[in-house]
Amino acid sequence: RHGETEAEDMVGVVTGLAWTQVGGEILTIESVSSPGKGQIKHTGKLGDVMQESIAAALSFVRSRAESFGISTEDFAKRDLHVHLPEGATPKDGPSAGIALVTSLVSVLTNIPIRHDVAMTGEVTLRGRVLEIGGLKEKLLAALRAGIKTVLIPKDNEKDLVEVPENVRHAMKIIPVAHVSEVLGIALQHMPEPLKIDEKNAHEGRIVEDNGATSPLAH
Amino acid sequence: RHGETEAEDMVGVVTGLAWTQVGGEILTIESVSSPGKGQIKHTGKLGDVMQESIAAALSFVRSRAESFGISTEDFAKRDLHVHLPEGATPKDGPSAGIALVTSLVSVLTNIPIRHDVAMTGEVTLRGRVLEIGGLKEKLLAALRAGIKTVLIPKDNEKDLVEVPENVRHAMKIIPVAHVSEVLGIALQHMPEPLKIDEKNAHEGRIVEDNGATSPLAH
Amino acid sequence: RHGETEAEDMVGVVTGLAWTQVGGEILTIESVSSPGKGQIKHTGKLGDVMQESIAAALSFVRSRAESFGISTEDFAKRDLHVHLPEGATPKDGPSAGIALVTSLVSVLTNIPIRHDVAMTGEVTLRGRVLEIGGLKEKLLAALRAGIKTVLIPKDNEKDLVEVPENVRHAMKIIPVAHVSEVLGIALQHMPEPLKIDEKNAHEGRIVEDNGATSPLAH
Amino acid sequence: RHGETEAEDMVGVVTGLAWTQVGGEILTIESVSSPGKGQIKHTGKLGDVMQESIAAALSFVRSRAESFGISTEDFAKRDLHVHLPEGATPKDGPSAGIALVTSLVSVLTNIPIRHDVAMTGEVTLRGRVLEIGGLKEKLLAALRAGIKTVLIPKDNEKDLVEVPENVRHAMKIIPVAHVSEVLGIALQHMPEPLKIDEKNAHEGRIVEDNGATSPLAH
Amino acid sequence: RHGETEAEDMVGVVTGLAWTQVGGEILTIESVSSPGKGQIKHTGKLGDVMQESIAAALSFVRSRAESFGISTEDFAKRDLHVHLPEGATPKDGPSAGIALVTSLVSVLTNIPIRHDVAMTGEVTLRGRVLEIGGLKEKLLAALRAGIKTVLIPKDNEKDLVEVPENVRHAMKIIPVAHVSEVLGIALQHMPEPLKIDEKNAHEGRIVEDNGATSPLAH
Amino acid sequence: RHGETEAEDMVGVVTGLAWTQVGGEILTIESVSSPGKGQIKHTGKLGDVMQESIAAALSFVRSRAESFGISTEDFAKRDLHVHLPEGATPKDGPSAGIALVTSLVSVLTNIPIRHDVAMTGEVTLRGRVLEIGGLKEKLLAALRAGIKTVLIPKDNEKDLVEVPENVRHAMKIIPVAHVSEVLGIALQHMPEPLKIDEKNAHEGRIVEDNGATSPLAH
Ligand SMILES: [Ca+2]
Ligand SMILES: [Ca+2]
Ligand SMILES: [Ca+2]
Ligand SMILES: [Ca+2]
Ligand SMILES: [Ca+2]
Ligand SMILES: [Ca+2]
Ligand SMILES: [Ca+2]
Ligand SMILES: [Ca+2]
Ligand SMILES: [Ca+2]
Ligand SMILES: [Ca+2]
Ligand SMILES: [Ca+2]
Ligand SMILES: [Ca+2]
């Protein structure tokens, strides 16, 4: 089988959804990690906005690392590489945000991502999921690719009326408001937060560690 | 609730006001911090002037860090990321200056920002608040977003006559001349200055530590 | 003899296949290594997509280094240089991916590459081989250059019907789905994975070391 | 009072004079310093020539640091930021040279600058003051802003005949040939040179320390 | 005497041959070395392809350094500068490859280059000499400059029929297939390979040191 | 006196000669040095070719530093800044080469440059002086500026016939073939080479120290 998506759950590989003038498309995102110096690289002919999405996704993960069980050392002594295959095809836009966060958390925690889940949504530095465009086209592409579950921004629920009923019924479409909900669904299991004694002693004052991994009420 | 602004006070998240040819708009600014090497990143399709505003806001905070209770180490061992969501929308101009200072002081001191306050104003390296454009449009946008208090530059007081009376009466509009007034209103509480014995011994001669956090008379 | 390809198996030198508007072409890729600081350089008038292919190939090799018997030190204390000769000719595209991985593994393990094998295929960060364009033209160029074995993406098998029968019968054409199959054929012998006690003690948690060098079932 | 210039003497804040097609203008320059690594940043939509002026001003100050009582450590362990407010207005040209030197010496020595002095003049790496353009327009702008004393290049004395007599009589206009004259007038007091035993022992051979702070005869 | 070429053998100075629309030209290449940090600089208004030629030449020399008697320290503690005089004239193309290798080996080994030898040829990372253009024009320029010996790529032997007989007979024209042949002719004497005990102990596994300085059979 | 040239001999300040479409011009070059990390900066709206001239001049001086009495430490622990005043005027071309070398040697040795000497000439990495353009215009400009001695490239002697006799007789015009002749005339006195025991012990093998400061025979 050589389709657009992986046949099994893999670490770092997540299925995003893109939207172009000719319709929706599956957008594979893959991240790997190797011993290094805390640098991140990205490839795949990415436009400025998508490059910024990677930077924002990484800063979100770094700022909440402890709640994902990732230590400061995991960042400082490893390099990350985010690649979007089909390297000759230009890709841009902010809607891969939640998929990028998912890929990074997966590769840093070594927890595989469910291969039958696709997702679309911009993400803020606080993990809030923002509205995206092209919902109908993206859902059609997910259906064609055999996806079973699609995560969409809660702010796009209003757009579901434009999506054909058979598409809406063929997949589980889950509106999400915070990226913590995304991780709860897409990862095989949730990472365990670092315990106090695992925390890096020299880090000093701890900023923002209250409840980052449970869905926030909005 | 999934509106433009947060429903509760958050660390690093502040509501700015933008002005485009089609009217005023809410401009969310969010900053996070993570263990690092003293670097700052920014994302959100920011133009050159807004990028410089971030640099100037950071230098203002760094040059007065002690008066905000922030030590040299807080800068040297943490990275900062400033993001303006809706990553596909270009943003530019100097008028987010005081909002950027507020966001940075908040994230560095861990003091939340009142979510019902919005603000607009260029800031100088000395903390002076300079006049901005589009005051009427910005106040209208703040009203639509349910903002209760708006901080504007004292040099824009003259422009309030052009703002409809119902708008002026629906919100508390506070003219400010120095960013220290902004922090006094927007932060949940003021940070405490570093005491002498908290100061970093190896820093040498201390420059400019007289009264930075109390409003200056102009 | 001064043809397009080498007369003997060499370390780091691999034969790729390019496709331009005037037909297929042999594309030599050569890598060398020298004592250094873990940097990689590339030359040969390479376009953006091909430059990204090198970055992705390197990250693939680094993320699976142990399975190739390459230690963290091999990367940190050596510099790599990837060059595509005929330096005045612009080269671009993602289809040199598997050839780049092969060249890098060869130079890092010191195992020569069979000089009568050519190959074409994009590669993902997980080693999956993706479809390429210009299959017919590339096979014709391989034939003209005296190549005996050509590796093509499994996803391009469907395109073989367009290739003249005499071309298909003159060479061994092997469809591959994962770059591990490529290495098994193109290298004189497979590298031996690092044993546990050869692993760098200070590296911490090991990510993804299950079976990277054996072909995956798809 | 919220005019163009400060109401009191401040450290690092100096009043320059700009000249555009629509007339002269006050050009505020402000510098701050913070604990750092010897880096300098500049903001304010500055053109290439003005950016170079900052670099040259800094090198002038660094090369004569001892005569200003500034030690090598003052540079190595502090960062500087030069900002020209009204961040959306492009600014360029070499004529802010002497104002930039004054701002830098002030912030590095913590000596305030007289707020009723304005100045214009290109500066060389040796401190010589070179001729500028738009003298008449600049003097008119200084007058409007309530400036009492204006420093101009000695090479521009010839242009004073074109300036209306009432303007020339309303302010003290002082032609200067060397930046040491500028500092003598604009700073609240002159800095004291480092004594021999304050000099950094490991610095080795001392270059150019003869009389840098007294006006040169030309 | 102030002609185009040096009057005596010098370290680092080699005579290349350029080809423009108005004919062939002598192209002097000079390299110097100074105590430093292993960096290389190049000047002379060089185009992208020629800049890449320098990078490739350097990587060739570094990857075979031991066979030239050059230690890892020779690279790490010295800086190199490659300059092509007549700094206002743009220069480009890959055909200076073997001249660049010769200049670098000369400056790193301190062995002078014969001043009456000129050369043209692209070089690969393995030292293979590739075909160049403009052979006739280049040979005419060499003749005009009083050159006695010209090294050309073996792949250009076929083009010698287009060169006037008197030109071919006035100079010794030597076709070369590998850069090791070039060094054997152009250097006053060949460098001696490092002996085992001169090798840097901490370097680890040695890659590719078999016979690099003797001509390869092709 | 506020003319184009200095009234007394100064360290680092040298008079070059420029040539534009509207005639010749005096081109002041000034360098300063300060405690630092071995970096060089340049300002004065310099074009690419002139920027490269500075790099080449610096490499010439560094590669022969010992013969000028300059130690490796003098470079590693000081920063240099080369500035060409009148910062708004674009400047380009290679003909300031020998003036740049003179300015750098002066500032690094602290030996003043004779203020009544002007010079023009491209310089190679070996110190050879190459032909320049606009000789007549440059000599006229030197005459107007009260220069007593002008150094020109030996290769430009042929162009002196085009220069009016009164100009040629009003100044001492000295053709030079090597930059060592330039330094012998322009510096107040020649620097003394480092003695063996002043040489930095850890520097290893010494490259090229034979007779660099005495004129070469050509
Ligand atoms: Ca696709
Ligand atoms: Ca919508
Ligand atoms: Ca909005
Ligand atoms: Ca206004
Ligand atoms: Ca070819
Ligand atoms: Ca196809
Ligand atoms: Ca103004
Ligand atoms: Ca004038
Ligand atoms: Ca020439
Ligand atoms: Ca040919
Ligand atoms: Ca002039
Ligand atoms: Ca001429």
Side-chain angles (χ1 to χ4, degrees):
Chain A
R1 176 180 167 286
H2 305 98
E4 295 263 10
T5 59
E6 296 290 340
E8 47 180 316
D9 296 358
M10 296 187 73
V11 168
V13 181
V14 64
T15 302
L17 296 169
W19 172 50
T20 69
Q21 281 162 327
V22 298
E25 266 216 78
I26 286 296
L27 189 77
T28 305
I29 293 165
E30 48 180 10
S31 301
V32 293
S33 147
S34 48
K37 295 175 188 167
Q39 289 166 335
I40 186 161
K41 202 186 288 293
H42 52 75
T43 47
K45 215 170 185 174
L46 310 184
D48 287 350
V49 173
M50 192 171 273
Q51 290 179 35
E52 291 198 341
S53 287
I54 294 174
L58 180 63
S59 287
F60 169 78
V61 177
R62 287 180 65 201
S63 70
R64 311 214 166 183
E66 286 166 14
S67 64
F68 301 130
I70 306 165
S71 72
T72 301
E73 283 225 326
D74 288 334
F75 282 106
K77 298 207 170 164
R78 299 197 78 75
D79 286 343
L80 296 171
H81 187 139
V82 178
H83 178 63
L84 277 72
E86 304 195 27
T89 307
K91 303 161 194 90
D92 208 350
S95 73
I98 59 174
L100 289 163
V101 168
T102 304
S103 178
L104 291 173
V105 172
S106 167
V107 83
L108 284 161
T109 59
N110 216 19
I111 302 172
I113 298 166
R114 298 188 203 278
H115 71 280
D116 53 1
V117 174
M119 61 188 70
T120 181
E122 179 173 345
V123 69
T124 74
L125 279 190
R126 300 289 155 177
R128 216 171 136 172
V129 182
L130 300 186
E131 189 182 358
I132 50 82
L135 184 70
K136 186 173 74 174
E137 292 80 0
K138 287 173 171 175
L139 291 177
L140 284 166
L143 187 63
R144 282 195 309 270
I147 292 295
K148 295 285 182 294
T149 303
V150 186
L151 310 183
I152 68 166
K154 208 164 183 63
D155 288 347
N156 281 101
E157 262 189 313
K158 61 179 168 46
D159 300 325
L160 282 173
V161 296
E162 302 166 27
V163 178
E165 210 183 311
N166 68 315
V167 174
R168 272 185 286 152
H169 287 26
M171 299 179 293
K172 202 165 155 189
I173 298 174
I174 308 179
V176 290
H178 194 273
V179 77
S180 53
E181 301 166 63
V182 175
L183 296 175
I185 296 163
L187 294 179
Q188 275 189 357
H189 62 84
M190 281 302 274
E192 263 186 74
L194 284 190
K195 293 201 201 74
I196 295 295
D197 57 336
E198 286 175 302
K199 286 181 190 168
N200 219 321
H202 67 268
E203 239 185 82
R205 184 158 42 98
I206 303 306
V207 180
E208 298 162 274
D209 57 347
N210 43 346
T213 59
S214 31
L216 297 181
H218 290 265
Chain B
R1 174 179 168 289
H2 304 97
E4 295 263 10
T5 59
E6 297 290 339
E8 45 181 316
D9 295 359
M10 296 187 74
V11 168
V13 181
V14 64
T15 302
L17 296 169
W19 172 50
T20 68
Q21 281 162 327
V22 297
E25 266 216 76
I26 286 294
L27 188 77
T28 304
I29 292 166
E30 49 180 9
S31 301
V32 293
S33 147
S34 48
K37 296 174 186 166
Q39 289 165 335
I40 185 160
K41 201 186 288 293
H42 52 73
T43 47
K45 216 170 185 176
L46 311 183
D48 287 351
V49 172
M50 193 172 271
Q51 290 179 33
E52 291 197 342
S53 287
I54 295 174
L58 180 64
S59 287
F60 169 77
V61 177
R62 286 181 65 201
S63 70
R64 310 215 166 183
E66 285 166 14
S67 65
F68 300 130
I70 306 165
S71 72
T72 301
E73 283 224 326
D74 288 333
F75 283 105
K77 299 207 170 165
R78 300 198 77 76
D79 286 343
L80 296 171
H81 187 139
V82 178
H83 179 62
L84 278 72
E86 305 195 27
T89 307
K91 303 160 194 90
D92 208 351
S95 73
I98 59 174
L100 289 163
V101 168
T102 304
S103 178
L104 290 173
V105 171
S106 167
V107 83
L108 285 160
T109 60
N110 215 19
I111 301 172
I113 298 166
R114 297 187 203 279
H115 71 280
D116 54 0
V117 174
M119 60 187 71
T120 180
E122 179 173 346
V123 70
T124 74
L125 278 189
R126 300 289 155 176
R128 215 171 138 171
V129 182
L130 300 186
E131 188 183 357
I132 50 81
L135 184 70
K136 185 173 74 174
E137 292 80 359
K138 286 173 171 175
L139 290 177
L140 284 166
L143 187 63
R144 281 195 310 270
I147 292 295
K148 296 286 181 294
T149 303
V150 186
L151 311 183
I152 67 167
K154 207 162 185 64
D155 287 347
N156 280 100
E157 262 190 312
K158 62 178 169 46
D159 301 323
L160 282 173
V161 296
E162 302 165 26
V163 178
E165 209 182 312
N166 68 315
V167 174
R168 271 185 285 153
H169 287 24
M171 298 179 292
K172 202 166 156 189
I173 298 173
I174 307 178
V176 290
H178 194 274
V179 78
S180 53
E181 301 167 63
V182 175
L183 297 175
I185 296 162
L187 294 179
Q188 275 190 358
H189 60 84
M190 281 301 273
E192 262 185 76
L194 284 190
K195 292 199 201 73
I196 295 294
D197 56 336
E198 287 175 302
K199 286 181 190 169
N200 217 321
H202 67 269
E203 240 185 82
R205 183 159 42 100
I206 303 306
V207 180
E208 299 163 88
D209 57 348
N210 44 346
T213 58
S214 30
L216 297 182
H218 291 263
Chain C
R1 175 182 167 285
H2 305 97
E4 295 264 11
T5 59
E6 297 290 339
E8 47 179 316
D9 296 357
M10 295 187 74
V11 168
V13 181
V14 64
T15 302
L17 296 168
W19 172 50
T20 69
Q21 281 162 328
V22 298
E25 265 217 78
I26 285 295
L27 189 76
T28 304
I29 293 165
E30 49 181 9
S31 302
V32 292
S33 146
S34 48
K37 295 173 188 168
Q39 289 166 335
I40 185 160
K41 203 185 287 291
H42 52 75
T43 47
K45 215 171 185 175
L46 310 183
D48 287 350
V49 173
M50 193 172 271
Q51 290 179 34
E52 291 198 341
S53 288
I54 294 173
L58 180 63
S59 287
F60 170 78
V61 177
R62 285 181 65 201
S63 70
R64 310 214 165 183
E66 285 166 14
S67 64
F68 301 130
I70 306 165
S71 72
T72 300
E73 284 224 325
D74 288 333
F75 283 105
K77 297 206 169 163
R78 300 198 76 76
D79 286 343
L80 296 171
H81 187 139
V82 178
H83 178 63
L84 277 73
E86 304 194 28
T89 308
K91 303 161 194 91
D92 208 350
S95 73
I98 59 175
L100 289 163
V101 168
T102 304
S103 178
L104 291 173
V105 171
S106 168
V107 83
L108 285 161
T109 59
N110 217 18
I111 302 172
I113 298 166
R114 297 188 203 280
H115 72 280
D116 53 1
V117 173
M119 62 188 70
T120 180
E122 179 173 345
V123 70
T124 74
L125 279 190
R126 301 288 153 175
R128 216 171 137 171
V129 182
L130 300 187
E131 188 182 358
I132 50 82
L135 184 70
K136 186 173 75 173
E137 292 80 0
K138 286 172 171 175
L139 291 177
L140 284 165
L143 187 63
R144 281 196 309 270
I147 293 295
K148 295 285 182 294
T149 303
V150 186
L151 310 183
I152 68 167
K154 207 164 184 64
D155 287 346
N156 281 101
E157 261 189 312
K158 61 178 168 50
D159 301 325
L160 282 172
V161 295
E162 303 165 27
V163 178
E165 210 184 311
N166 68 314
V167 174
R168 272 184 286 152
H169 286 25
M171 298 179 295
K172 202 165 155 188
I173 298 173
I174 308 179
V176 291
H178 194 273
V179 77
S180 54
E181 300 167 63
V182 174
L183 297 175
I185 295 162
L187 294 178
Q188 276 189 358
H189 62 84
M190 281 301 275
E192 262 186 76
L194 284 190
K195 293 201 201 74
I196 294 295
D197 57 336
E198 285 175 303
K199 285 182 190 167
N200 219 322
H202 67 269
E203 239 185 81
R205 184 159 42 100
I206 304 306
V207 180
E208 300 162 273
D209 58 345
N210 45 346
T213 58
S214 31
L216 297 182
H218 289 265
Chain D
R1 171 180 170 287
H2 304 99
E4 296 263 9
T5 59
E6 298 290 339
E8 47 182 313
D9 295 0
M10 296 186 74
V11 168
V13 181
V14 64
T15 302
L17 296 168
W19 172 49
T20 68
Q21 280 163 328
V22 298
E25 266 216 76
I26 286 294
L27 189 76
T28 304
I29 292 167
E30 48 181 9
S31 301
V32 292
S33 147
S34 48
K37 296 174 185 167
Q39 289 166 334
I40 185 161
K41 201 185 289 293
H42 51 73
T43 46
K45 216 171 185 177
L46 311 183
D48 287 351
V49 173
M50 192 171 272
Q51 290 179 34
E52 291 198 344
S53 287
I54 294 174
L58 180 63
S59 287
F60 170 77
V61 177
R62 286 180 64 202
S63 70
R64 310 213 166 184
E66 286 167 14
S67 65
F68 300 130
I70 306 165
S71 74
T72 301
E73 283 223 327
D74 288 333
F75 283 106
K77 299 206 171 165
R78 300 198 76 77
D79 286 342
L80 296 171
H81 187 138
V82 179
H83 179 63
L84 278 72
E86 303 194 29
T89 307
K91 304 161 194 91
D92 208 351
S95 74
I98 59 175
L100 289 163
V101 168
T102 303
S103 178
L104 291 173
V105 171
S106 167
V107 84
L108 284 161
T109 60
N110 215 18
I111 302 172
I113 298 166
R114 297 187 202 279
H115 71 280
D116 54 0
V117 173
M119 60 187 71
T120 180
E122 180 173 346
V123 70
T124 75
L125 278 189
R126 300 290 153 176
R128 217 171 136 170
V129 181
L130 300 186
E131 188 182 357
I132 50 80
L135 184 69
K136 185 173 75 174
E137 291 80 358
K138 287 173 171 174
L139 291 177
L140 284 166
L143 187 63
R144 281 196 308 268
I147 293 293
K148 297 285 181 293
T149 303
V150 186
L151 311 183
I152 68 167
K154 206 161 185 65
D155 288 347
N156 281 99
E157 264 189 310
K158 61 178 170 46
D159 301 323
L160 282 173
V161 296
E162 302 165 26
V163 178
E165 210 181 312
N166 68 314
V167 174
R168 272 184 285 153
H169 286 25
M171 298 179 293
K172 201 165 156 190
I173 298 173
I174 308 179
V176 290
H178 194 273
V179 77
S180 54
E181 301 167 63
V182 175
L183 296 174
I185 296 162
L187 293 179
Q188 276 190 357
H189 61 86
M190 280 302 273
E192 262 186 77
L194 285 189
K195 292 197 203 74
I196 294 294
D197 55 337
E198 286 175 302
K199 286 182 190 169
N200 216 322
H202 68 270
E203 239 186 84
R205 183 161 42 100
I206 304 306
V207 181
E208 300 162 88
D209 57 347
N210 45 347
T213 58
S214 30
L216 297 182
H218 291 264
Chain E
R1 174 182 168 284
H2 305 99
E4 295 263 12
T5 60
E6 298 289 339
E8 46 180 314
D9 295 358
M10 296 187 74
V11 167
V13 182
V14 63
T15 302
L17 296 168
W19 172 50
T20 68
Q21 280 163 328
V22 298
E25 265 217 79
I26 286 294
L27 189 76
T28 304
I29 293 166
E30 49 180 10
S31 302
V32 292
S33 147
S34 49
K37 297 174 187 166
Q39 289 165 335
I40 185 161
K41 201 185 287 290
H42 51 74
T43 47
K45 215 170 186 176
L46 311 183
D48 287 349
V49 173
M50 192 171 271
Q51 290 179 34
E52 291 198 342
S53 288
I54 294 173
L58 180 64
S59 287
F60 170 78
V61 177
R62 286 180 64 203
S63 69
R64 311 213 165 184
E66 286 167 14
S67 65
F68 300 129
I70 306 165
S71 73
T72 301
E73 284 224 326
D74 288 333
F75 282 105
K77 299 206 170 165
R78 300 198 77 75
D79 286 343
L80 296 171
H81 187 139
V82 178
H83 179 63
L84 277 74
E86 303 193 30
T89 308
K91 303 159 194 94
D92 207 351
S95 74
I98 59 176
L100 289 164
V101 168
T102 304
S103 178
L104 291 173
V105 171
S106 167
V107 83
L108 285 161
T109 59
N110 216 20
I111 302 172
I113 299 166
R114 296 187 203 279
H115 71 281
D116 54 0
V117 173
M119 61 188 69
T120 180
E122 180 173 345
V123 70
T124 74
L125 279 190
R126 301 289 154 176
R128 218 172 135 170
V129 182
L130 300 186
E131 189 182 358
I132 50 81
L135 184 70
K136 186 173 74 174
E137 291 80 359
K138 286 173 172 175
L139 291 177
L140 284 167
L143 188 62
R144 283 195 308 269
I147 293 294
K148 295 285 181 294
T149 303
V150 186
L151 310 184
I152 67 166
K154 207 164 184 64
D155 287 346
N156 281 99
E157 262 188 312
K158 62 179 167 49
D159 301 325
L160 282 173
V161 295
E162 303 165 26
V163 178
E165 210 182 311
N166 68 314
V167 174
R168 272 184 285 153
H169 286 25
M171 298 179 295
K172 202 165 154 189
I173 298 173
I174 308 179
V176 290
H178 194 273
V179 77
S180 53
E181 300 166 64
V182 175
L183 297 175
I185 295 162
L187 294 179
Q188 276 189 357
H189 62 84
M190 280 301 273
E192 262 186 77
L194 285 190
K195 292 200 203 73
I196 294 295
D197 57 337
E198 285 174 302
K199 285 182 190 167
N200 218 323
H202 68 269
E203 238 185 84
R205 184 160 41 99
I206 303 306
V207 179
E208 301 163 87
D209 57 347
N210 45 346
T213 58
S214 32
L216 297 182
H218 291 263
Chain F
R1 172 183 168 285
H2 304 100
E4 295 262 11
T5 60
E6 297 290 340
E8 47 181 314
D9 295 359
M10 295 187 74
V11 168
V13 181
V14 63
T15 302
L17 296 168
W19 171 50
T20 68
Q21 281 162 329
V22 298
E25 264 217 79
I26 285 295
L27 189 76
T28 305
I29 292 166
E30 48 181 10
S31 302
V32 292
S33 147
S34 48
K37 297 173 186 167
Q39 289 166 335
I40 185 161
K41 202 185 288 291
H42 51 74
T43 47
K45 216 170 186 177
L46 311 183
D48 287 350
V49 173
M50 192 171 272
Q51 290 179 33
E52 291 198 342
S53 287
I54 294 173
L58 180 63
S59 287
F60 170 78
V61 177
R62 286 180 64 201
S63 70
R64 310 212 166 186
E66 286 167 13
S67 65
F68 300 130
I70 305 166
S71 73
T72 301
E73 283 224 326
D74 288 333
F75 283 105
K77 299 205 171 166
R78 299 199 76 77
D79 287 342
L80 296 171
H81 187 138
V82 178
H83 179 63
L84 277 73
E86 302 194 29
T89 308
K91 304 159 193 95
D92 208 351
S95 74
I98 59 176
L100 289 163
V101 168
T102 303
S103 178
L104 291 174
V105 171
S106 168
V107 84
L108 284 161
T109 59
N110 215 19
I111 302 172
I113 298 166
R114 296 186 202 280
H115 71 280
D116 54 359
V117 173
M119 61 187 70
T120 180
E122 180 173 345
V123 69
T124 75
L125 278 190
R126 300 290 153 176
R128 217 171 135 171
V129 182
L130 300 186
E131 188 182 357
I132 50 82
L135 183 70
K136 186 173 74 173
E137 292 80 358
K138 287 172 171 175
L139 290 176
L140 284 166
L143 187 64
R144 282 195 308 269
I147 293 294
K148 296 285 180 294
T149 304
V150 186
L151 311 183
I152 67 167
K154 207 164 185 64
D155 288 346
N156 281 100
E157 263 189 311
K158 60 178 170 49
D159 301 323
L160 283 173
V161 296
E162 303 164 25
V163 177
E165 210 182 312
N166 68 315
V167 174
R168 273 184 285 151
H169 287 25
M171 298 179 294
K172 202 166 155 188
I173 299 173
I174 308 178
V176 290
H178 194 273
V179 77
S180 53
E181 300 167 64
V182 175
L183 297 175
I185 296 163
L187 293 178
Q188 275 189 357
H189 61 85
M190 280 303 272
E192 263 186 76
L194 284 190
K195 293 199 202 74
I196 294 294
D197 56 336
E198 285 175 302
K199 285 182 190 169
N200 217 322
H202 68 269
E203 237 185 86
R205 184 161 41 100
I206 303 306
V207 180
E208 301 162 89
D209 57 347
N210 45 347
T213 58
S214 30
L216 298 182
H218 290 262

